[in-house]
Amino acid sequence: MTTDNEKQLKKMKVRMPPSPTGYMHIGTVRMALFNYLYASQHDGQIVMRMEDTDRERSKKEFADDIIDGLRWLGLGWDEGPYYQSQRGEIYKRYLQRLLDENKAYWCFCSQDELEAQKQYQMSRGEAPIYSGKCFEMPRAQAEELIRQGRKAVVRFRGSKKKIAFNDIVRGRIEFDCSLTGDFVIAKDLDNALYNFTVVVDDCEMGITHVIRGEDHISNTPKQILVQEALGIEMPVYAHLPIVMGADRSKLSKRHGAVAITEYRRQGYLAEALINFTAFLGWNPGTEKEIYSMEELLRDFSLDKVQKGGAVFNPVRLDYLNGLYIRQKTPAQLAELCLPYFIEAGLVSKEGQDYKNRQTAEIIEPGFLEKIVAYQQPRLKKLSEIVDLSGYFFTGQLDYDKDLLKWKDATLKEIADALDELINLFSKIETGDWGRQKLEEIVMSRIAGFNLAQGKPEKDRGYLLWPLRVALCGQKMSIGPFEMADVLGREKTLKRLMAAKDLASGTSSAETLFDN
Ligand code: GLU
């Protein structure tokens, strides 16, 4: 027998074996990430293998989604993808070998028979395991029945012994196989099942380390028995703790967990998802919480993976995503946000140029950069950029004139305030236009409000509120000077004039046009 130490010396090879029965979820990312980190740290190889033997539930669409998602996350592999659905001949060869060596046998028992047996055993307080009845049937007789077309499964001849293995995460694990019985390893020669295919593939592909979710621990003794029957060396195991919701139940949509494609669509960054996933079961034992892939490759260690369940916290994911968004330069962020502007119908690409869909104006590169730079502090996910910034793209601001009113000011006073802003802003040359300049001018005007009984005659909202509403037509926005900076001199003045018309009633319609 080879010791664990000798196995370490052999070239390390791990596998990423997702089952494509649904879109990729966080558990698959965690499995892939931990394998990726461990293999990369040990100069090992990674095999990608699609475990698509469940023909009813496996779909190409899901396999493609997983492959695409892992690539997007930067979790690559060296070999594959292999598809188990295309490896039937290999499994058949190994099944045949076990049948020939009498380590597996044909079982003809019907579902009803098995169910009755199970009920009987349970009524006697015994563990429901297969009786071994068909093992008694002579091989020639079984082969004859198969030739006649009788349906039968292939059962592995189990053992009653105790099995132990060393798990990197959980230490020594022992199992009593007397409770396992003879288990089914294939529905027929062309349809081998998971506990069998996994052993054959891990052997054929030279896998040295199996790093997977804890839900597979109970499968491990069966797989070890199959390895022994085939004379295959046992890989090193590491079972990662279960990922669960805050209420400690199985993770689901209810806990805010959605498919990775959906996170990507909403504008979560790959870096944030990686950082988040790394902490699902691992932590460095220090205060450090922000980890780039380079840092994970340096600090990650399977020895520091916890045994207890890992709690999925969507609030933390949002926090991390915001943090990674804030690390982007305006140019990077504008590029990341562009697809959201396009999807929302705000921006279109015509020929070489991007255009504002509503005004048909060409969008200068600096325009989007300014918008995203001002929104950056509040963005938790990229998709939010659309709701936060739609008013920059519209050729038509639609709002009620009463929205312009600050406190108990009359519309006449608001029209005067807007007039004052128009006068102040008209004096600024295009070349001097900018957030700081605008702020200086307006704030010094505010500082000049006459003092009456020790208090200014008006508060700052008298100018700032109508400025805000005139520029975006709503209550919530980035700062008014930031908006004016994005819009530029001409559009800012136009929006102010339109607002003044609205407040003073000189505009017949309440719908205002920029152009
Ligand atoms: N295909 C299995 C799954 O997606 C993984 C099997 C294994 O790691 O052994 O859960």
Side-chain angles (χ1 to χ4, degrees), residues 102-232:
N102 211 25
K103 292 173 178 165
Y105 58 93
W106 291 108
C107 173
F108 299 88
C109 294
S110 70
Q111 278 308 320
D112 290 348
E113 218 174 326
L114 293 172
E115 187 54 35
Q117 192 182 99
K118 185 171 152 191
Q119 293 303 333
Y120 173 71
Q121 285 169 327
M122 283 171 32
S123 71
R124 291 168 53 114
E126 293 167 7
I129 54 175
Y130 180 64
S131 66
K133 177 181 150 202
C134 289
F135 182 70
E136 308 303 328
M137 186 186 289
R139 175 86 193 278
Q141 187 187 341
E143 297 284 330
E144 181 51 34
L145 288 175
I146 292 291
R147 261 194 300 279
Q148 288 169 13
R150 277 280 298 276
K151 283 201 78 61
V153 297
V154 181
R155 246 182 222 284
F156 181 81
R157 182 66 175 160
S159 150
K160 291 196 167 29
K161 66 178 183 177
K162 287 198 169 57
I163 275 187
F165 64 95
N166 287 322
D167 189 282
I168 299 185
V169 176
R170 312 182 71 85
R172 187 177 164 82
I173 300 182
E174 285 184 18
F175 273 102
D176 183 353
C177 293
S178 59
L179 299 177
T180 306
D182 295 354
F183 52 95
V184 179
I185 52 173
K187 287 200 248 174
D188 54 52
L189 281 185
D190 294 316
N191 286 292
L193 295 173
Y194 164 69
N195 276 320
F196 185 73
T197 56
V198 78
V199 171
V200 169
D201 279 344
D202 286 349
C203 163
E204 287 270 322
M205 295 172 189
I207 301 302
T208 58
H209 290 67
V210 169
I211 305 169
R212 61 184 176 191
E214 186 189 292
D215 45 328
H216 287 291
I217 281 203
S218 58
N219 289 319
T220 311
K222 291 182 184 165
Q223 293 170 14
I224 292 175
L225 288 176
V226 175
Q227 284 158 10
E228 287 178 359
L230 290 169
I232 291 171

